[in-house]
Amino acid sequence: MKPSERRKARRLATQAIYQWQMTKDNVADIAQQFALEQDTKGVDLDYFRDLLFGVSVHANELDAVYSSYLSRPLADLDMVDKAILRLASYELTRREDVPYRVVINEAIELAKAFAAEESHRFVNGVLDKVIKQLKK
């Protein structure tokens, strides 16, 4: 496993999670669509699938991990920010093989790439609080 392959898997998973949130389409169909239509060269496809399916199955539990640290109601959260926070929360709670610093850094980079201009600060602030709670 190369870090760059996981980074690409996270980028693709963020987009797929966003699509799932917006359309409520079948996750398996979205995974198949992404595998066929996106450039998956150098992507850890197993990790992509784990993230996408894991987030979709555990979305409510993942929302509970970070929602108390939001400055607004969960329903008002931007869908890109929600996809990133769900993905990061999944890695923090279900992927003990990934160091929390990596998860936070990757989430910040995803926010810089896909979200609104200052979203990376928002994502960082929420995840910092999540980490403090999880370490207790």
Side-chain angles (χ1 to χ4, degrees):
M1 179 275 309
K2 295 180 183 174
S4 64
E5 293 176 350
R6 285 230 171 142
R7 176 169 287 127
K8 290 176 183 176
R10 286 182 188 95
R11 288 180 67 90
L12 214 57
T14 300
Q15 294 170 296
I17 292 164
Y18 175 81
Q19 180 175 329
W20 168 73
Q21 290 173 164
M22 296 301 288
T23 65
K24 299 297 184 207
D25 287 346
N26 182 290
V27 177
D29 293 342
I30 293 171
Q32 183 177 19
Q33 174 196 347
F34 269 71
L36 294 172
E37 297 177 6
Q38 300 292 324
D39 179 10
T40 58
K41 184 178 181 188
V43 175
D44 183 338
L45 289 174
D46 290 335
Y47 202 67
F48 162 75
R49 285 196 255 331
D50 180 54
L51 295 172
L52 175 57
F53 285 93
V55 166
S56 68
V57 168
H58 301 287
N60 291 335
E61 295 166 43
L62 299 172
D63 291 346
V65 168
Y66 67 84
S67 61
S68 63
Y69 306 113
L70 299 177
S71 57
R72 56 189 166 269
L74 182 61
D76 294 344
L77 187 60
D78 177 82
M79 286 294 198
V80 175
D81 291 342
K82 184 183 279 189
I84 294 167
L85 288 170
R86 282 176 166 174
L87 186 148
S89 295
Y90 177 79
E91 286 190 290
L92 290 171
T93 60
R94 306 268 174 171
R95 295 296 308 223
E96 294 177 9
D97 60 315
V98 182
Y100 76 88
R101 285 184 174 90
V102 171
V103 174
I104 291 177
N105 184 59
E106 291 291 318
I108 291 168
E109 293 304 315
L110 290 167
K112 287 179 180 178
F114 296 117
E117 191 171 324
E118 294 298 316
S119 283
H120 67 280
R121 293 175 190 220
F122 168 74
V123 167
N124 185 35
V126 172
L127 292 177
D128 279 344
K129 293 172 187 165
V130 167
I131 289 296
K132 288 176 184 165
Q133 181 59 39
L134 292 176
K135 285 183 156 187
K136 285 185 178 179

